[in-house]
Amino acid sequence: MAKTMSGSIVHPLTVAYFSMEVGINPAMPTYSGGLGMLAGDTLRAAADLGVHMVGVTLLHRKGYFRQHLDERGNQTENPAVWEPEKLLEPFTQRVSVTIEGRAVQLRAWSYVVHGVTGHTVPVIFLDTALPENSPWDQALTDHLYGGDDHYRLCQEVVLGLGGVAMLRALGYQKVQTYHMNEGHSALLTLALLEERHEKKGLHDVVKADGEAVRHRCVFTTHTPVPAGFDKFPLSLAKQVLGDEAVNALQTVGAFHDSVLNMTNLALSLSRYVNGVSMRHEEVSRGMFPNYPINSVTNGVHAVFWTSLPFQRLYDNHFPEWRNDNLYLRYAISCSPDTIMEAHKESKKDLLTEVERRAGVRLSPEVMTIGFARRATAYKRADLLFTDVERLKSIAREAGPLQIIYAGKAHPRDEGGKALIRRIFQAAEALRDTIPLVYMEEYDMALGKYLCSGVDLWLNTPLKPDEASGTSGMKAALNGVPSLSVLDGWWVEGHIEGVTGWSIGDSSEPESDPSREVASLYDKLGKVIVPMFYKQPDAYATVMRSAIAINGSFYNAQRMVFQYMKNAYIHAH
Ligand SMILES: *Cc1c(COP(=O)(O)O)cnc(C)c1O
């Protein structure tokens, strides 16, 4: 073991976890959605489990963006400026990366994650805002997923090549595994190739070099949609990285049809590759038949995502759960009454927050449906409103409903923005029967309230586009059952009428929208809403099973444990 310059001990089994976004603190807008949340939960769970991990990401001084919605649901964006100086500790080390032939200087900031037993995991935030750099280079670590392809590729140079350089400067000489959380950080493999050639240059990189780098890397892919892969034209790659690097990348198989494909690069240079659910593994195997694809289903950090009322309930019944999330299985010993009591409090906290943020007062007695996720086409946020009259009749006949929505559309995703406007139109059409609130600024803090405070968590993605999904796991930890299309984690987490309900009963990987719509209304009107109002004990029993069966498994402790067993330690 060696001491790093920052004072921590570098264990020979250190894992460097690279992610373009990390959601680690609600006051730091350094994430856009599920990928960043997952990174944060992974780092938190690694700290809990005593894993020797270091996180690497970009500082994102202007965050993703702050969302404003006008009365018609038109989204406008503002920078989410924050003050890193107040939340992070600066390192004194400086390194540089070459972008378009010029040297760009980097500094880094540290955020330390403390685990339950005191073990810590540092997270390194890379920053180019140094006076030595041109204004354009200084802005490279400003915007998460902002700018054009050119800006994006330069950011990926900072993350991959800059990240490895900074690790070395901080004393991390012996990193056993480089874990790429999505392809954005795949250029770290280029840094490892360069190191093998001891700075002599990349001109004589051969396939065997790629093989040596392969032994050191792990790749997690997060999307079954090829359009979601990070790709850059050859000319842009040459401009930013230079001819030698591009030749080296061609040698190791990073190009596909003259396009630099970060997924291909990561696939080619990783000893272990995984999807993020059982179904996603199957879908990924179909997409990448030439690579051995495994899976580790995602999980969420149990303590972080559990509301205070449920934390108190678990502390009373099985206090060991904080240290060992498997004890959540013992929730089976909680009476339905105690579950309902804790949920009532969580619901009250949510409704107070909705009133504070949106000025809308909802009723604690009315069944509340929640839907919050990135506003993008495949998530089909408007599926619930396919037949507004049918929905109204369910509320009139089976029992009253109210609905809470949230979600941001990427600034350039016009389809996503149109979806938000359609939800506003549905709210108008439902006005006299079903109150519907669309909350601005879906973030980690609001996510916590929503997933724990609603009575039913709705998920309607177009199959097979949902790799995993994690918000339903947060809901399960708080006893909130899901009503979801059978895609992503729900294929394995769903037991009908026990942990929640499915939309459609087909195990086919592709959606049949009209059958899904019919099933959605049937389940709501004939099964779920009647049970909620007429058999509250039965409903509380489903809530309890969501915790005992799904909460005990779909947590980040189990996920990190599986990465250790399958990806970090044994896969060589
Ligand atoms: C959990 C979470 C997500 C991801 O949820 P999905 O179900 O995977 O879409 C996105 N954004 C926020 C703020 C979250 O808390």
Side-chain angles (χ1 to χ4, degrees):
M1 299 206 199
K3 265 208 161 197
T4 66
M5 294 171 85
S6 53
S8 60
I9 302 288
V10 176
H11 191 270
L13 290 182
T14 294
V15 177
Y17 183 84
F18 278 65
S19 183
M20 182 57 92
E21 48 173 309
V22 172
I24 197 72
N25 180 321
M28 292 162 53
T30 52
Y31 61 90
S32 90
L35 186 71
M37 291 297 144
L38 182 85
D41 284 351
T42 301
L43 293 160
R44 269 187 280 272
D48 288 344
L49 289 169
V51 179
H52 297 272
M53 188 179 273
V54 51
V56 181
T57 186
L58 302 188
L59 187 62
H60 304 303
R61 280 180 183 272
K62 295 187 180 161
Y64 184 45
F65 64 84
R66 294 225 180 286
Q67 178 192 47
H68 174 67
L69 298 173
D70 72 11
E71 70 281 1
R72 300 192 154 183
N74 295 301
Q75 173 182 298
T76 45
E77 303 98 24
N78 290 304
V81 180
W82 59 293
E83 292 178 279
E85 302 75 16
K86 295 206 170 140
L87 294 153
L88 306 177
E89 288 295 324
F91 287 113
T92 54
Q93 285 81 351
R94 299 285 185 271
V95 297
S96 77
V97 287
T98 305
I99 298 178
E100 299 171 327
R102 64 182 186 277
V104 175
Q105 308 295 322
L106 300 183
R107 69 187 301 195
W109 301 78
S110 147
Y111 182 93
V112 179
V113 183
H114 294 266
V116 265
T117 55
H119 179 77
T120 57
V121 165
V123 189
I124 294 166
F125 289 81
L126 302 166
D127 179 15
T128 56
L130 286 166
E132 304 88 289
N133 293 329
S134 71
W136 196 83
D137 288 339
Q138 289 189 31
L140 276 176
T141 49
D142 274 355
H143 296 280
L144 173 61
Y145 306 139
D148 55 10
D149 273 3
H150 176 222
Y151 181 77
R152 188 81 165 255
L153 181 56
C154 294
Q155 284 193 319
E156 296 191 12
V157 172
V158 173
L159 179 62
L161 294 156
V164 172
M166 186 56 78
L167 284 175
R168 298 294 178 259
L170 296 174
Y172 290 92
Q173 307 304 339
K174 288 221 164 61
V175 173
Q176 189 240 12
T177 298
Y178 293 83
H179 187 162
M180 294 172 260
N181 186 43
E182 224 356 306
H184 313 116
S185 56
L187 288 175
L188 72 83
T189 58
L190 192 59
L192 299 181
L193 284 170
E194 260 175 5
E195 280 187 343
R196 274 184 69 74
H197 285 249
E198 289 168 349
K199 316 259 174 216
K200 278 192 305 236
L202 287 161
H203 56 273
D204 54 354
V205 161
V206 292
K207 272 219 147 69
D209 295 311
E211 205 40 45
V213 168
R214 227 184 127 255
H215 285 297
R216 306 170 71 186
C217 298
V218 163
F219 172 47
T220 302
T221 172
H222 288 270
T223 172
V225 189
F229 298 160
D230 232 0
K231 293 185 230 70
F232 302 99
L234 178 64
S235 55
L236 180 62
K238 284 191 170 168
Q239 176 195 329
V240 171
L241 298 165
D243 289 345
E244 261 192 13
V246 165
N247 289 342
L249 290 172
Q250 271 166 336
T251 305
V252 298
F255 279 79
H256 196 74
D257 298 336
S258 297
V259 171
L260 173 57
N261 183 322
M262 293 306 184
T263 301
N264 274 89
L265 175 58
L267 284 169
S268 301
L269 292 191
S270 295
R271 65 168 192 251
Y272 179 91
V273 178
N274 71 286
V276 289
S277 69
M278 178 179 79
R279 173 56 50 87
H280 186 223
E281 174 187 310
E282 294 160 19
V283 175
S284 301
R285 283 189 175 173
M287 287 168 74
F288 314 120
N290 300 326
Y291 298 95
I293 314 280
N294 308 275
S295 60
V296 173
T297 302
N298 284 343
V300 297
H301 191 273
V303 175
F304 187 83
W305 292 106
T306 299
S307 69
L308 288 175
F310 275 99
Q311 289 192 15
R312 285 192 286 269
L313 179 68
Y314 302 159
D315 285 341
N316 283 336
H317 283 76
F318 35 88
E320 309 90 334
W321 76 286
R322 288 174 184 270
N323 229 325
D324 180 352
N325 296 168
L326 279 168
Y327 282 100
L328 287 164
R329 192 66 177 78
Y330 291 7
I332 215 70
S333 69
C334 300
S335 71
D337 282 352
T338 57
I339 303 273
M340 277 192 277
E341 242 355 271
H343 178 66
K344 207 168 139 187
E345 276 186 70
S346 303
K347 187 170 179 178
K348 189 172 118 246
D349 292 344
L350 165 66
L351 299 189
T352 305
E353 183 67 7
V354 170
E355 188 169 354
R356 191 185 71 78
R357 288 194 182 212
V360 177
R361 186 175 292 188
L362 296 174
S363 162
E365 311 302 329
V366 171
M367 181 169 188
T368 307
I369 298 176
F371 185 107
R373 32 191 62 81
R374 280 182 304 119
T376 193
Y378 87 83
K379 300 270 193 183
R380 296 192 298 186
D382 56 347
L383 199 76
L384 180 62
F385 311 115
T386 311
D387 183 349
V388 169
E389 291 312 314
R390 177 88 194 267
L391 190 59
K392 283 185 181 174
S393 78
I394 290 171
R396 278 193 302 264
E397 285 155 29
L401 294 172
Q402 57 195 8
I403 309 175
I404 308 176
Y405 266 75
K408 295 179 179 180
H410 185 279
R412 286 195 308 271
D413 183 352
E414 290 308 323
K417 289 184 172 181
L419 257 179
I420 299 178
R421 286 193 294 271
R422 285 208 290 284
I423 307 304
F424 273 67
Q425 286 155 13
E428 201 45 42
L430 290 167
R431 211 163 59 152
D432 302 327
T433 326
I434 303 176
L436 188 162
V437 196
Y438 199 112
M439 308 282 296
E440 281 179 332
E441 218 12 54
Y442 179 38
D443 61 8
M444 205 188 283
L446 182 59
K448 267 189 174 185
Y449 282 110
L450 282 171
C451 292
S452 59
V454 299
D455 299 306
L456 183 70
W457 194 249
L458 181 68
N459 188 31
T460 51
L462 181 74
K463 296 198 287 186
D465 290 1
E466 180 99 310
S468 166
T470 52
S471 55
M473 301 175 182
K474 299 168 193 169
L477 276 167
N478 291 284
V480 174
S482 285
L483 168 60
S484 171
V485 164
L486 283 170
D487 200 15
W489 81 284
W490 197 233
V491 173
E492 60 195 90
H494 156 261
I495 305 171
E496 185 67 13
V498 177
T499 58
W501 300 271
S502 67
I503 297 171
D505 52 9
S506 156
S507 55
E508 289 296 309
E510 306 254 325
S511 271
D512 178 340
S514 59
R515 290 176 75 155
E516 285 167 352
V517 167
S519 166
L520 170 56
Y521 292 132
D522 280 351
K523 291 274 168 83
L524 267 182
K526 294 180 186 156
V527 181
I528 304 171
V529 184
M531 185 195 278
F532 181 85
Y533 284 110
K534 298 200 186 97
Q535 300 170 277
D537 263 16
Y539 202 88
T541 303
V542 175
M543 297 176 73
R544 183 173 71 182
S545 302
I547 303 164
I549 297 174
N550 283 344
S552 64
F553 186 84
Y554 295 100
N555 56 70
Q557 253 184 25
R558 186 269 316 151
M559 172 182 67
V560 171
F561 185 73
Q562 285 199 292
Y563 275 112
M564 283 164 64
K565 284 284 174 201
N566 299 285
Y568 300 158
I569 298 175
H570 287 301
H572 287 286

